[in-house]
Amino acid sequence: MKIMYVDIAVTGHRVPYLKTLVDNSENEIIVVLPEKVEGINCKQYVCEYNNKERSLKTHKHWLDSVLKCAKKENPDIVHFLSGDNFYRYFGFGLEKFKKYKVFFTFHFVKSSLLHKISIKMISILSEKMIFHTDYLRKQAASIGVKNAYHVEYPVFGGK
């Protein structure tokens, strides 16, 4: 199986987390990041993400760049590691990824009506919605997300 992990930043815990995912996988892994990262032992693509200008236009441009990588690599799964970033766009652009199984990892569940609508729309366009705590998974399930799964945050430090 071929998995393409996509993230919008390489700060904080993101690199050790991604390295753990790559190093502990028996699958073929490709990563799409805003910059190349030394020590990630797999094919890497760079798709800049403009975190300063968070507009629909820049989101679409970034998604189109990610889609080009997916078309080139033809992965089985496209896994967006920063699902929280998609709240503001209500799943806009994800229909372009229908050829692939699309996974998201969410780190929080927002409770406003618009955010509830957004996460439900994203869930319709995805195969799996992954939450790092069972509490968050239950929150998502309680607002109608039927494909919510709890996957424990990895323990860093080896296989």
Side-chain angles (χ1 to χ4, degrees), residues 1 3 8 15-16 21 28 43-44 48 54 56 64-66 80 83 95 113-114 124 128 130-132 135 141 146 155:
M1 179 178 303
I3 303 170
I8 61 167
V15 171
L21 289 173
E28 182 179 355
K43 186 182 280 188
Q44 294 184 40
E48 290 185 38
R54 294 176 11 187
L56 187 58
D64 288 344
S65 298
V66 172
F80 292 96
E95 68 284 347
L113 177 60
L114 286 177
I124 290 167
K128 289 188 179 181
I130 297 169
F131 299 87
H132 286 310
Y135 174 77
K146 298 185 184 341
V155 176

PDB file of all heavy atoms in Angstrom, residues 1 3 8 15-16 21 28 43-44 48 54 56 64-66 80 83 95 113-114 124 128 130-132 135 141 146 155:
ATOM      1  N   MET A   1       0.849  -1.178   0.000  1.00  0.00           N
ATOM      2  CA  MET A   1       0.000   0.000   0.000  1.00  0.00           C
ATOM      3  C   MET A   1       0.890   1.235   0.000  1.00  0.00           C
ATOM      4  O   MET A   1       1.935   1.267   0.624  1.00  0.00           O
ATOM      5  CB  MET A   1      -0.897  -0.017   1.235  1.00  0.00           C
ATOM      6  CG  MET A   1      -1.804   1.185   1.317  1.00  0.00           C
ATOM      7  SD  MET A   1      -2.921   1.207   2.724  1.00  0.00           S
ATOM      8  CE  MET A   1      -3.796  -0.314   2.517  1.00  0.00           C
ATOM      9  N   ILE A   3       1.013   5.267   0.908  1.00  0.00           N
ATOM     10  CA  ILE A   3       0.363   6.304   1.704  1.00  0.00           C
ATOM     11  C   ILE A   3       1.092   7.624   1.495  1.00  0.00           C
ATOM     12  O   ILE A   3       2.319   7.682   1.561  1.00  0.00           O
ATOM     13  CB  ILE A   3       0.358   5.957   3.208  1.00  0.00           C
ATOM     14  CG1 ILE A   3      -0.328   4.613   3.445  1.00  0.00           C
ATOM     15  CG2 ILE A   3      -0.299   7.076   4.021  1.00  0.00           C
ATOM     16  CD1 ILE A   3      -0.176   4.078   4.853  1.00  0.00           C
ATOM     17  N   ILE A   8       0.965  20.853   6.875  1.00  0.00           N
ATOM     18  CA  ILE A   8       1.069  22.266   6.511  1.00  0.00           C
ATOM     19  C   ILE A   8       2.232  22.972   7.188  1.00  0.00           C
ATOM     20  O   ILE A   8       2.496  24.137   6.909  1.00  0.00           O
ATOM     21  CB  ILE A   8      -0.236  23.024   6.821  1.00  0.00           C
ATOM     22  CG1 ILE A   8      -0.547  22.978   8.307  1.00  0.00           C
ATOM     23  CG2 ILE A   8      -1.374  22.482   5.984  1.00  0.00           C
ATOM     24  CD1 ILE A   8      -1.635  23.937   8.749  1.00  0.00           C
ATOM     25  N   VAL A  15       7.455  17.070  13.119  1.00  0.00           N
ATOM     26  CA  VAL A  15       8.514  16.278  12.495  1.00  0.00           C
ATOM     27  C   VAL A  15       8.745  14.962  13.252  1.00  0.00           C
ATOM     28  O   VAL A  15       8.803  13.904  12.624  1.00  0.00           O
ATOM     29  CB  VAL A  15       9.813  17.097  12.325  1.00  0.00           C
ATOM     30  CG1 VAL A  15      10.965  16.211  11.874  1.00  0.00           C
ATOM     31  CG2 VAL A  15       9.584  18.215  11.310  1.00  0.00           C
ATOM     32  N   PRO A  16       8.872  14.970  14.589  1.00  0.00           N
ATOM     33  CA  PRO A  16       9.027  13.673  15.271  1.00  0.00           C
ATOM     34  C   PRO A  16       7.826  12.744  15.036  1.00  0.00           C
ATOM     35  O   PRO A  16       7.995  11.531  14.886  1.00  0.00           O
ATOM     36  CB  PRO A  16       9.135  14.046  16.753  1.00  0.00           C
ATOM     37  CG  PRO A  16       9.528  15.469  16.784  1.00  0.00           C
ATOM     38  CD  PRO A  16       9.007  16.090  15.528  1.00  0.00           C
ATOM     39  N   LEU A  21       5.799   7.934  12.107  1.00  0.00           N
ATOM     40  CA  LEU A  21       4.891   7.294  11.157  1.00  0.00           C
ATOM     41  C   LEU A  21       5.665   6.642  10.008  1.00  0.00           C
ATOM     42  O   LEU A  21       5.375   5.504   9.621  1.00  0.00           O
ATOM     43  CB  LEU A  21       3.902   8.318  10.589  1.00  0.00           C
ATOM     44  CG  LEU A  21       2.833   8.846  11.524  1.00  0.00           C
ATOM     45  CD1 LEU A  21       2.048   9.977  10.850  1.00  0.00           C
ATOM     46  CD2 LEU A  21       1.897   7.739  11.958  1.00  0.00           C
ATOM     47  N   GLU A  28       4.742   1.835   1.525  1.00  0.00           N
ATOM     48  CA  GLU A  28       5.507   2.857   0.814  1.00  0.00           C
ATOM     49  C   GLU A  28       4.936   4.203   1.225  1.00  0.00           C
ATOM     50  O   GLU A  28       3.723   4.430   1.133  1.00  0.00           O
ATOM     51  CB  GLU A  28       5.389   2.665  -0.696  1.00  0.00           C
ATOM     52  CG  GLU A  28       6.189   3.667  -1.479  1.00  0.00           C
ATOM     53  CD  GLU A  28       6.105   3.480  -2.985  1.00  0.00           C
ATOM     54  OE1 GLU A  28       5.491   2.490  -3.440  1.00  0.00           O
ATOM     55  OE2 GLU A  28       6.623   4.342  -3.710  1.00  0.00           O
ATOM     56  N   LYS A  43      10.344   9.538   0.033  1.00  0.00           N
ATOM     57  CA  LYS A  43      10.240  10.576  -1.002  1.00  0.00           C
ATOM     58  C   LYS A  43       9.466  11.760  -0.431  1.00  0.00           C
ATOM     59  O   LYS A  43       8.427  11.583   0.210  1.00  0.00           O
ATOM     60  CB  LYS A  43       9.528  10.026  -2.231  1.00  0.00           C
ATOM     61  CG  LYS A  43       9.511  11.010  -3.396  1.00  0.00           C
ATOM     62  CD  LYS A  43       8.754  10.468  -4.586  1.00  0.00           C
ATOM     63  CE  LYS A  43       9.625   9.518  -5.369  1.00  0.00           C
ATOM     64  NZ  LYS A  43       8.981   9.121  -6.651  1.00  0.00           N
ATOM     65  N   GLN A  44       9.975  12.959  -0.683  1.00  0.00           N
ATOM     66  CA  GLN A  44       9.335  14.177  -0.186  1.00  0.00           C
ATOM     67  C   GLN A  44       9.015  15.120  -1.345  1.00  0.00           C
ATOM     68  O   GLN A  44       9.796  15.251  -2.271  1.00  0.00           O
ATOM     69  CB  GLN A  44      10.256  14.928   0.782  1.00  0.00           C
ATOM     70  CG  GLN A  44      10.537  14.194   2.068  1.00  0.00           C
ATOM     71  CD  GLN A  44      11.370  15.041   3.022  1.00  0.00           C
ATOM     72  OE1 GLN A  44      11.164  16.251   3.143  1.00  0.00           O
ATOM     73  NE2 GLN A  44      12.300  14.399   3.703  1.00  0.00           N
ATOM     74  N   GLU A  48       4.295  24.570  -0.748  1.00  0.00           N
ATOM     75  CA  GLU A  48       4.249  25.659   0.235  1.00  0.00           C
ATOM     76  C   GLU A  48       2.830  25.929   0.675  1.00  0.00           C
ATOM     77  O   GLU A  48       1.901  25.917  -0.128  1.00  0.00           O
ATOM     78  CB  GLU A  48       4.861  26.924  -0.351  1.00  0.00           C
ATOM     79  CG  GLU A  48       6.357  26.815  -0.522  1.00  0.00           C
ATOM     80  CD  GLU A  48       6.960  28.123  -0.997  1.00  0.00           C
ATOM     81  OE1 GLU A  48       6.500  29.198  -0.549  1.00  0.00           O
ATOM     82  OE2 GLU A  48       7.889  28.047  -1.814  1.00  0.00           O
ATOM     83  N   ARG A  54      -4.583  33.157   4.946  1.00  0.00           N
ATOM     84  CA  ARG A  54      -5.464  31.998   4.962  1.00  0.00           C
ATOM     85  C   ARG A  54      -6.775  32.364   4.264  1.00  0.00           C
ATOM     86  O   ARG A  54      -7.755  32.706   4.901  1.00  0.00           O
ATOM     87  CB  ARG A  54      -5.686  31.532   6.389  1.00  0.00           C
ATOM     88  CG  ARG A  54      -4.408  31.010   6.985  1.00  0.00           C
ATOM     89  CD  ARG A  54      -4.458  30.606   8.413  1.00  0.00           C
ATOM     90  NE  ARG A  54      -5.768  30.516   9.001  1.00  0.00           N
ATOM     91  CZ  ARG A  54      -5.984  30.304  10.272  1.00  0.00           C
ATOM     92  NH1 ARG A  54      -4.977  30.173  11.086  1.00  0.00           N
ATOM     93  NH2 ARG A  54      -7.194  30.232  10.752  1.00  0.00           N
ATOM     94  N   LEU A  56      -9.523  31.396   0.824  1.00  0.00           N
ATOM     95  CA  LEU A  56      -9.990  30.296  -0.015  1.00  0.00           C
ATOM     96  C   LEU A  56      -9.091  30.139  -1.235  1.00  0.00           C
ATOM     97  O   LEU A  56      -8.784  29.022  -1.662  1.00  0.00           O
ATOM     98  CB  LEU A  56     -11.447  30.530  -0.424  1.00  0.00           C
ATOM     99  CG  LEU A  56     -12.122  29.391  -1.161  1.00  0.00           C
ATOM    100  CD1 LEU A  56     -12.112  28.109  -0.339  1.00  0.00           C
ATOM    101  CD2 LEU A  56     -13.550  29.776  -1.517  1.00  0.00           C
ATOM    102  N   ASP A  64      -4.477  22.193  -4.899  1.00  0.00           N
ATOM    103  CA  ASP A  64      -4.124  21.841  -6.281  1.00  0.00           C
ATOM    104  C   ASP A  64      -2.687  21.327  -6.361  1.00  0.00           C
ATOM    105  O   ASP A  64      -2.401  20.380  -7.104  1.00  0.00           O
ATOM    106  CB  ASP A  64      -4.308  23.035  -7.219  1.00  0.00           C
ATOM    107  CG  ASP A  64      -5.773  23.365  -7.475  1.00  0.00           C
ATOM    108  OD1 ASP A  64      -6.647  22.527  -7.188  1.00  0.00           O
ATOM    109  OD2 ASP A  64      -6.033  24.486  -7.970  1.00  0.00           O
ATOM    110  N   SER A  65      -1.776  21.935  -5.600  1.00  0.00           N
ATOM    111  CA  SER A  65      -0.383  21.480  -5.567  1.00  0.00           C
ATOM    112  C   SER A  65      -0.281  20.079  -4.978  1.00  0.00           C
ATOM    113  O   SER A  65       0.461  19.230  -5.478  1.00  0.00           O
ATOM    114  CB  SER A  65       0.479  22.441  -4.748  1.00  0.00           C
ATOM    115  OG  SER A  65       0.499  23.719  -5.325  1.00  0.00           O
ATOM    116  N   VAL A  66      -1.025  19.831  -3.910  1.00  0.00           N
ATOM    117  CA  VAL A  66      -1.040  18.501  -3.285  1.00  0.00           C
ATOM    118  C   VAL A  66      -1.624  17.482  -4.263  1.00  0.00           C
ATOM    119  O   VAL A  66      -1.111  16.358  -4.399  1.00  0.00           O
ATOM    120  CB  VAL A  66      -1.837  18.521  -1.956  1.00  0.00           C
ATOM    121  CG1 VAL A  66      -2.018  17.113  -1.400  1.00  0.00           C
ATOM    122  CG2 VAL A  66      -1.150  19.426  -0.933  1.00  0.00           C
ATOM    123  N   PHE A  80      -4.240  13.738   5.374  1.00  0.00           N
ATOM    124  CA  PHE A  80      -3.962  15.103   5.802  1.00  0.00           C
ATOM    125  C   PHE A  80      -3.780  15.091   7.313  1.00  0.00           C
ATOM    126  O   PHE A  80      -4.733  14.814   8.060  1.00  0.00           O
ATOM    127  CB  PHE A  80      -5.103  16.039   5.410  1.00  0.00           C
ATOM    128  CG  PHE A  80      -5.213  16.241   3.916  1.00  0.00           C
ATOM    129  CD1 PHE A  80      -6.103  15.487   3.165  1.00  0.00           C
ATOM    130  CD2 PHE A  80      -4.433  17.183   3.265  1.00  0.00           C
ATOM    131  CE1 PHE A  80      -6.209  15.659   1.798  1.00  0.00           C
ATOM    132  CE2 PHE A  80      -4.535  17.371   1.894  1.00  0.00           C
ATOM    133  CZ  PHE A  80      -5.423  16.607   1.151  1.00  0.00           C
ATOM    134  N   GLY A  83      -5.998  18.075   9.892  1.00  0.00           N
ATOM    135  CA  GLY A  83      -7.399  18.206   9.513  1.00  0.00           C
ATOM    136  C   GLY A  83      -8.043  19.458  10.065  1.00  0.00           C
ATOM    137  O   GLY A  83      -8.946  20.031   9.446  1.00  0.00           O
ATOM    138  N   GLU A  95     -13.350  17.229  -3.139  1.00  0.00           N
ATOM    139  CA  GLU A  95     -13.982  16.384  -4.153  1.00  0.00           C
ATOM    140  C   GLU A  95     -12.982  15.994  -5.242  1.00  0.00           C
ATOM    141  O   GLU A  95     -13.140  14.966  -5.895  1.00  0.00           O
ATOM    142  CB  GLU A  95     -15.221  17.064  -4.754  1.00  0.00           C
ATOM    143  CG  GLU A  95     -14.944  18.294  -5.590  1.00  0.00           C
ATOM    144  CD  GLU A  95     -14.611  19.571  -4.807  1.00  0.00           C
ATOM    145  OE1 GLU A  95     -14.822  19.609  -3.575  1.00  0.00           O
ATOM    146  OE2 GLU A  95     -14.121  20.524  -5.434  1.00  0.00           O
ATOM    147  N   LEU A 113     -21.901  25.999  15.681  1.00  0.00           N
ATOM    148  CA  LEU A 113     -22.760  25.397  14.661  1.00  0.00           C
ATOM    149  C   LEU A 113     -22.040  25.306  13.315  1.00  0.00           C
ATOM    150  O   LEU A 113     -22.091  24.260  12.650  1.00  0.00           O
ATOM    151  CB  LEU A 113     -24.059  26.199  14.511  1.00  0.00           C
ATOM    152  CG  LEU A 113     -25.019  25.705  13.430  1.00  0.00           C
ATOM    153  CD1 LEU A 113     -25.459  24.266  13.716  1.00  0.00           C
ATOM    154  CD2 LEU A 113     -26.211  26.630  13.306  1.00  0.00           C
ATOM    155  N   LEU A 114     -21.347  26.367  12.905  1.00  0.00           N
ATOM    156  CA  LEU A 114     -20.638  26.339  11.622  1.00  0.00           C
ATOM    157  C   LEU A 114     -19.534  25.288  11.603  1.00  0.00           C
ATOM    158  O   LEU A 114     -19.333  24.606  10.596  1.00  0.00           O
ATOM    159  CB  LEU A 114     -20.063  27.713  11.288  1.00  0.00           C
ATOM    160  CG  LEU A 114     -21.076  28.764  10.847  1.00  0.00           C
ATOM    161  CD1 LEU A 114     -20.388  30.102  10.607  1.00  0.00           C
ATOM    162  CD2 LEU A 114     -21.810  28.313   9.598  1.00  0.00           C
ATOM    163  N   ILE A 124     -17.998  13.554   5.123  1.00  0.00           N
ATOM    164  CA  ILE A 124     -18.666  12.966   3.956  1.00  0.00           C
ATOM    165  C   ILE A 124     -17.667  12.773   2.820  1.00  0.00           C
ATOM    166  O   ILE A 124     -17.771  11.820   2.046  1.00  0.00           O
ATOM    167  CB  ILE A 124     -19.850  13.852   3.512  1.00  0.00           C
ATOM    168  CG1 ILE A 124     -20.969  13.773   4.559  1.00  0.00           C
ATOM    169  CG2 ILE A 124     -20.360  13.471   2.124  1.00  0.00           C
ATOM    170  CD1 ILE A 124     -22.041  14.838   4.392  1.00  0.00           C
ATOM    171  N   LYS A 128     -11.772   8.248   6.479  1.00  0.00           N
ATOM    172  CA  LYS A 128     -11.620   8.150   7.936  1.00  0.00           C
ATOM    173  C   LYS A 128     -11.255   9.504   8.519  1.00  0.00           C
ATOM    174  O   LYS A 128     -10.474  10.260   7.946  1.00  0.00           O
ATOM    175  CB  LYS A 128     -10.523   7.148   8.316  1.00  0.00           C
ATOM    176  CG  LYS A 128     -10.892   5.721   8.061  1.00  0.00           C
ATOM    177  CD  LYS A 128      -9.857   4.779   8.627  1.00  0.00           C
ATOM    178  CE  LYS A 128     -10.303   3.344   8.355  1.00  0.00           C
ATOM    179  NZ  LYS A 128      -9.363   2.381   8.902  1.00  0.00           N
ATOM    180  N   ILE A 130      -9.568  10.710  11.946  1.00  0.00           N
ATOM    181  CA  ILE A 130      -8.798  10.166  13.058  1.00  0.00           C
ATOM    182  C   ILE A 130      -8.652  11.226  14.143  1.00  0.00           C
ATOM    183  O   ILE A 130      -8.343  12.387  13.860  1.00  0.00           O
ATOM    184  CB  ILE A 130      -7.422   9.686  12.561  1.00  0.00           C
ATOM    185  CG1 ILE A 130      -7.641   8.545  11.568  1.00  0.00           C
ATOM    186  CG2 ILE A 130      -6.531   9.265  13.722  1.00  0.00           C
ATOM    187  CD1 ILE A 130      -6.414   8.135  10.806  1.00  0.00           C
ATOM    188  N   PHE A 131      -8.875  10.788  15.387  1.00  0.00           N
ATOM    189  CA  PHE A 131      -8.759  11.653  16.559  1.00  0.00           C
ATOM    190  C   PHE A 131      -7.799  10.998  17.533  1.00  0.00           C
ATOM    191  O   PHE A 131      -7.842   9.781  17.717  1.00  0.00           O
ATOM    192  CB  PHE A 131     -10.136  11.869  17.205  1.00  0.00           C
ATOM    193  CG  PHE A 131     -11.106  12.536  16.282  1.00  0.00           C
ATOM    194  CD1 PHE A 131     -11.878  11.783  15.402  1.00  0.00           C
ATOM    195  CD2 PHE A 131     -11.228  13.908  16.255  1.00  0.00           C
ATOM    196  CE1 PHE A 131     -12.755  12.391  14.526  1.00  0.00           C
ATOM    197  CE2 PHE A 131     -12.105  14.527  15.376  1.00  0.00           C
ATOM    198  CZ  PHE A 131     -12.872  13.772  14.515  1.00  0.00           C
ATOM    199  N   HIS A 132      -6.937  11.793  18.166  1.00  0.00           N
ATOM    200  CA  HIS A 132      -5.910  11.232  19.039  1.00  0.00           C
ATOM    201  C   HIS A 132      -6.420  10.885  20.428  1.00  0.00           C
ATOM    202  O   HIS A 132      -5.686  10.293  21.213  1.00  0.00           O
ATOM    203  CB  HIS A 132      -4.708  12.165  19.140  1.00  0.00           C
ATOM    204  CG  HIS A 132      -3.858  12.161  17.917  1.00  0.00           C
ATOM    205  ND1 HIS A 132      -3.388  11.012  17.320  1.00  0.00           N
ATOM    206  CD2 HIS A 132      -3.394  13.173  17.152  1.00  0.00           C
ATOM    207  CE1 HIS A 132      -2.675  11.313  16.265  1.00  0.00           C
ATOM    208  NE2 HIS A 132      -2.665  12.628  16.130  1.00  0.00           N
ATOM    209  N   TYR A 135     -12.081  10.814  23.684  1.00  0.00           N
ATOM    210  CA  TYR A 135     -12.992  11.905  24.018  1.00  0.00           C
ATOM    211  C   TYR A 135     -13.350  12.714  22.771  1.00  0.00           C
ATOM    212  O   TYR A 135     -14.523  13.002  22.499  1.00  0.00           O
ATOM    213  CB  TYR A 135     -12.361  12.808  25.075  1.00  0.00           C
ATOM    214  CG  TYR A 135     -13.167  14.043  25.374  1.00  0.00           C
ATOM    215  CD1 TYR A 135     -14.314  13.972  26.179  1.00  0.00           C
ATOM    216  CD2 TYR A 135     -12.798  15.281  24.858  1.00  0.00           C
ATOM    217  CE1 TYR A 135     -15.067  15.110  26.441  1.00  0.00           C
ATOM    218  CE2 TYR A 135     -13.543  16.418  25.113  1.00  0.00           C
ATOM    219  CZ  TYR A 135     -14.682  16.329  25.911  1.00  0.00           C
ATOM    220  OH  TYR A 135     -15.431  17.446  26.157  1.00  0.00           O
ATOM    221  N   ALA A 141     -18.454  11.965  16.906  1.00  0.00           N
ATOM    222  CA  ALA A 141     -19.553  11.016  16.669  1.00  0.00           C
ATOM    223  C   ALA A 141     -20.882  11.600  17.144  1.00  0.00           C
ATOM    224  O   ALA A 141     -21.919  11.399  16.500  1.00  0.00           O
ATOM    225  CB  ALA A 141     -19.261   9.688  17.353  1.00  0.00           C
ATOM    226  N   LYS A 146     -19.772   9.787  11.244  1.00  0.00           N
ATOM    227  CA  LYS A 146     -19.893   8.339  11.318  1.00  0.00           C
ATOM    228  C   LYS A 146     -18.579   7.603  11.071  1.00  0.00           C
ATOM    229  O   LYS A 146     -18.462   6.420  11.355  1.00  0.00           O
ATOM    230  CB  LYS A 146     -20.951   7.854  10.329  1.00  0.00           C
ATOM    231  CG  LYS A 146     -22.333   8.408  10.642  1.00  0.00           C
ATOM    232  CD  LYS A 146     -23.371   7.831   9.725  1.00  0.00           C
ATOM    233  CE  LYS A 146     -24.755   8.375   9.894  1.00  0.00           C
ATOM    234  NZ  LYS A 146     -25.136   9.040  11.074  1.00  0.00           N
ATOM    235  N   VAL A 155       4.080   6.795  20.449  1.00  0.00           N
ATOM    236  CA  VAL A 155       5.127   6.995  21.436  1.00  0.00           C
ATOM    237  C   VAL A 155       6.422   7.149  20.667  1.00  0.00           C
ATOM    238  O   VAL A 155       6.803   6.291  19.895  1.00  0.00           O
ATOM    239  CB  VAL A 155       5.200   5.802  22.415  1.00  0.00           C
ATOM    240  CG1 VAL A 155       6.349   5.974  23.373  1.00  0.00           C
ATOM    241  CG2 VAL A 155       3.880   5.640  23.129  1.00  0.00           C
TER     242      VAL A 155
END
